[in-house]
């Protein structure tokens, strides 16, 4: 067997594979002998079929199958030994006819080669890394929510601004009938609030669904309507009031602290505020890190310049999926996936250049920490090492789950790299201002 490569340009190559008859003939002969032993052909006893007949009936199919296996193995070995970084898979060049009786069979494959490039993390304009803080306003609002949730319900005769109103949304045409408890602060407009204020048990309030809530998902849950049906829903619904209550705020005492956090974990309002601030800012860190990761990704894709073997990739996409694509469909698919492909290449380059690795021990340790955190939520604070190891082993026996955890760890290590080497500026602000700045004032 002989394999040669011709580089068309920096991103495309053609590999030629020449297979001699001696490379496959012995294997083909052995398979045909085995076929002869089991062949069931009328007029002949099993094992007594003439070899010529076996070759005539099965020879071509066996030959083609063995040559294809040889080609696949040879190509994989060649790409590994030559350390060729290819995109997609090798594409066989079409041949009009193949003379399977020839002493040498020749095949050609097109390759799309990954580009060579450098990655510069130092943006001219610094990338913002937000440090989101839980300010006094947020902490106090959270304390009030805790007091309300743990407080005692007191019945009211009329709806007031802070009432909890239980009732049923109904629309016969759309077959909507759903009982909910709501508060007036969730509605989008002041006009809706005015419709409720002063209302009594038994009153029916007619509401338009369009613009009722800021977030249509709130409306989806209120009406118990399917996700696909809620967007753009513009109908009238009747809300019949069944119950009106207010909540007496729970006292900020040791009983409440123990109920929320466990015995003596929090012992004062000051410690409660510190705990709320700590827990909130842990969550904010994850959100800020994700925003930073997204921004760095965007920067790298936009500013790391290299060409791709676009024509080859589109040709490969035509046959790579479950359903074949025509040239226009393949072009559209390529354009949709190009940005993602570029970042995969950039990420791979950063992982290689910075020797980022995830070992099985890393994956196992991360799994143990996830399990401990989940068990703590259910009050199991001190699981044994054996428990953790057994559960981790079960989780990691699922290859898909192990791969997911590995990708999480790679992402964490890349985030640490970006924080260390990227040109960034830290901006401290409240969560409310973070939402306004990043997502707009909604």
């Amino acid at each position: 067997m002989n394999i040669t490569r011709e580089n068309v340009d920096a991103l495309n190559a053609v590999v030629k594979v020449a297979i001699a008859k001696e490379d496959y003939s012995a294997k083909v002969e052995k398979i045909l002998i085995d076929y002869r032993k089991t062949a069931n052909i009328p007029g002949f006893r099993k094992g007594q079929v003439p070899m010529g007949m076996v070759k005539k009936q099965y020879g071509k199919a066996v030959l083609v199958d063995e040559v294809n296996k040889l080609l696949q193995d040879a190509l994989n070995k060649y790409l590994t030994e030559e350390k060729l970084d290819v995109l997609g898979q090798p594409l066989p060049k079409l041949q009009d006819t193949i003379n399977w009786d020839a002493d040498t069979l020749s095949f050609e494959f097109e390759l799309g080669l990954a580009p060579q490039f450098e990655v510069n993390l130092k943006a001219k304009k610094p990338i913002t890394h937000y440090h989101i803080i839980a300010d006094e306003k947020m902490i106090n609002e959270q304390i009030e929510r805790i007091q309300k949730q743990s407080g005692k319900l007191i019945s009211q005769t009329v709806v007031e601004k802070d009432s909890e109103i239980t009732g049923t949304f109904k629309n016969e045409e759309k077959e909507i009938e759903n009982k909910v408890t709501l508060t007036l602060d969730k509605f989008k407009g002041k006009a809706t609030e005015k419709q409720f204020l002063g209302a009594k048990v038994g009153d029916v309030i007619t509401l338009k669904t369009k613009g009722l809530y800021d977030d249509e998902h709130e409306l989806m849950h209120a009406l118990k309507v399917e996700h696909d049906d809620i967007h753009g829903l513009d109908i009238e619904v009747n809300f019949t009031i069944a119950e009106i209550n207010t909540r007496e705020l729970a006292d900020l005492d040791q009983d409440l602290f123990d109920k929320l956090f466990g015995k003596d974990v929090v012992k004062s309002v000051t410690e409660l505020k510190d705990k709320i601030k700590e827990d909130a800012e842990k969550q904010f860190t994850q959100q800020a890190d994700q925003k930073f990761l997204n921004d760095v990704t965007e920067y790298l894709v936009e500013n790391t310049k290299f060409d791709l073997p676009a024509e080859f990739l589109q040709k490969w996409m035509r046959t790579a999926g479950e359903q074949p694509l025509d040239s226009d469909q393949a072009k559209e698919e390529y354009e949709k996936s190009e940005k993602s492909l570029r970042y995969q290449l950039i990420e791979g380059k950063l992982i290689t250049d910075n020797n980022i690795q995830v070992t099985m021990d890393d994956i196992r340790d991360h799994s143990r920490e996830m399990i401990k955190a989940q068990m703590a939520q259910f009050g199991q604070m001190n699981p044994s090492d054996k428990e953790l190891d057994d559960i981790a082993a079960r989780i990691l026996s699922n290859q898909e789950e192990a791969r997911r955890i590995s990708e999480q760890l790679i992402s964490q290590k890349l985030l640490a790299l970006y924080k260390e080497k990227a040109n960034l500026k830290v901006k401290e602000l409240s969560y409310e201002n973070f939402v306004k700045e990043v997502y707009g004032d909604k």
Side-chain angles (χ1 to χ4, degrees):
M1 185 182 303
N2 184 40
I3 302 180
T4 58
R5 181 175 85 250
E6 177 186 335
N7 290 330
V8 179
D9 54 37
L11 298 173
N12 295 274
V14 174
V15 169
K16 298 179 180 180
V17 183
I19 300 179
K21 187 171 284 188
E22 56 264 28
D23 293 327
Y24 58 81
S25 56
K27 179 72 172 175
V28 169
E29 190 70 21
K30 181 179 182 306
I31 292 172
L32 291 174
I33 289 171
D34 290 339
Y35 271 34
R36 186 184 182 217
K37 293 176 184 176
T38 58
N40 189 7
I41 296 177
F44 297 95
R45 285 184 296 170
K46 189 173 287 189
Q48 299 300 313
V49 180
M51 195 61 183
M53 185 173 289
V54 172
K55 286 184 177 180
K56 183 176 181 181
Q57 187 160 346
Y58 301 109
K60 178 80 171 290
V62 172
L63 169 62
V64 171
D65 189 47
E66 285 306 307
V67 168
N68 280 331
K69 287 179 184 176
L70 270 176
L71 277 173
Q72 192 63 51
D73 291 343
L75 267 176
N76 290 338
K77 185 178 178 183
Y78 176 79
L79 296 177
T80 301
E81 289 178 348
E82 294 293 311
K83 297 180 179 178
L84 289 177
D85 193 1
V86 300
L87 302 179
Q89 295 291 332
L91 283 177
K93 295 186 78 170
L94 295 178
Q95 295 175 253
D96 292 335
T97 56
I98 299 175
N99 180 8
W100 293 100
D101 296 322
D103 289 337
T104 301
L105 300 173
S106 296
F107 304 90
E108 295 186 359
F109 295 85
E110 297 177 66
L111 302 182
L113 305 177
Q116 300 296 311
F117 59 91
E118 296 299 323
V119 182
N120 178 18
L121 284 169
K122 294 291 185 184
K124 290 181 181 178
K125 181 181 178 183
I127 298 169
T128 301
H129 184 215
Y130 292 98
H131 176 211
I132 308 169
I133 59 170
D135 59 10
E136 195 71 18
K137 178 175 178 245
M138 167 174 272
I139 293 169
N140 289 335
E141 287 174 349
Q142 179 62 14
I143 289 175
E144 186 174 339
R145 276 194 292 273
I146 288 171
Q147 287 181 280
K148 280 186 176 180
Q149 288 167 1
S150 302
K152 186 170 65 175
L153 279 177
I154 299 173
S155 179
Q156 292 179 297
T157 56
V158 298
V159 174
E160 296 177 6
K161 203 172 183 68
D162 63 348
S163 296
E164 291 185 13
I165 309 147
T166 300
T168 302
F169 280 111
K170 192 168 184 179
N171 178 289
E172 290 185 3
E173 183 184 350
K174 294 290 185 180
E175 297 182 347
I176 292 169
E177 186 169 354
N178 189 44
K179 186 175 181 180
V180 295
T181 297
L182 53 82
T183 54
L184 299 182
D185 60 314
K186 294 291 185 182
F187 291 123
K188 183 176 182 179
K190 293 292 183 185
T192 304
E193 182 180 297
K194 287 179 181 177
Q195 285 182 266
F196 276 88
L197 291 174
K200 300 175 183 178
V201 170
D203 285 354
V204 178
I205 298 172
T206 301
L207 302 165
K208 287 187 176 295
T209 57
K210 187 175 182 181
L212 190 59
Y213 291 95
D214 277 320
D215 186 349
E216 286 187 330
H217 292 89
E218 293 267 12
L219 182 64
M220 181 179 78
H221 295 303
L223 303 184
K224 206 171 183 181
V225 174
E226 293 294 327
H227 187 276
D228 291 343
D229 297 330
I230 202 67
H231 295 296
L233 184 66
D234 187 5
I235 59 173
E236 283 189 346
V237 289
N238 290 325
F239 184 83
T240 304
I241 299 175
E243 193 177 331
I244 307 167
N245 296 294
T246 188
R247 281 195 182 260
E248 183 181 82
L249 297 184
D251 291 332
L252 295 174
D253 56 19
Q254 195 60 48
D255 286 342
L256 179 61
F257 301 154
D258 290 349
K259 178 184 173 184
L260 293 172
F261 304 107
K263 187 166 177 58
D264 292 336
V265 173
V266 170
K267 297 181 181 179
S268 67
V269 174
T270 299
E271 289 184 10
L272 173 64
K273 288 185 174 184
D274 290 343
K275 179 67 173 168
I276 291 171
K277 182 177 177 67
E278 178 188 352
D279 291 347
E281 290 182 357
K282 277 182 184 176
Q283 295 181 16
F284 296 159
T285 296
Q286 294 175 1
Q287 195 164 348
D289 282 350
Q290 188 59 56
K291 168 64 177 166
F292 178 64
L293 191 60
N294 292 345
D295 289 345
V296 174
T297 299
E298 191 71 27
Y299 160 77
L300 290 172
V301 170
E302 294 299 324
N303 292 277
T304 308
K305 303 298 183 185
F306 53 82
D307 292 326
L308 290 170
E311 187 177 335
F312 168 84
L313 288 170
Q314 289 176 46
K315 190 185 294 186
W316 171 69
M317 285 178 175
R318 291 181 66 173
T319 57
E322 292 182 6
Q323 298 292 332
L325 306 177
D326 62 31
S327 56
D328 289 338
Q329 289 172 323
K331 183 179 180 182
E332 182 181 353
E333 189 66 27
Y334 171 76
E335 288 170 352
K336 284 194 289 188
S337 61
E338 182 184 1
K339 195 171 183 178
S340 173
L341 174 57
R342 286 182 177 278
Y343 183 66
Q344 286 175 26
L345 291 170
I346 293 166
E347 186 181 82
K349 175 76 170 167
L350 287 168
I351 289 169
T352 301
D353 289 353
N354 294 278
N355 195 29
I356 293 175
Q357 297 179 4
V358 171
T359 66
M360 200 60 214
D361 285 342
D362 293 332
I363 296 173
R364 193 175 296 109
D365 290 344
H366 185 73
S367 300
R368 284 169 54 96
E369 290 304 312
M370 286 196 310
I371 296 162
K372 281 175 71 174
Q374 290 169 357
M375 293 177 79
Q377 291 177 1
F378 296 96
Q380 301 177 52
M381 306 305 293
N382 295 299
S384 68
D385 286 341
K386 185 177 186 309
E387 280 182 290
L388 294 173
D389 287 339
D390 288 347
I391 297 172
R394 287 199 297 273
I395 290 172
L396 298 180
S397 65
N398 182 328
Q399 290 187 348
E400 185 65 24
E401 187 64 18
R403 182 189 62 78
R404 187 185 66 81
I405 293 172
S406 176
E407 289 175 352
Q408 283 181 351
L409 291 172
I410 287 286
S411 184
Q412 289 177 11
K413 293 191 176 192
L414 284 169
L415 178 63
L417 175 72
Y418 297 155
K419 287 181 179 179
E420 177 190 352
K421 295 191 174 182
N423 181 14
L424 61 87
K425 66 175 180 181
V426 176
K427 184 171 184 178
E428 186 176 286
L429 73 181
S430 69
Y431 182 73
E432 183 180 358
N433 288 331
F434 169 78
V435 171
K436 287 179 181 177
E437 183 164 320
V438 173
Y439 304 109
D441 188 4
K442 296 182 180 178

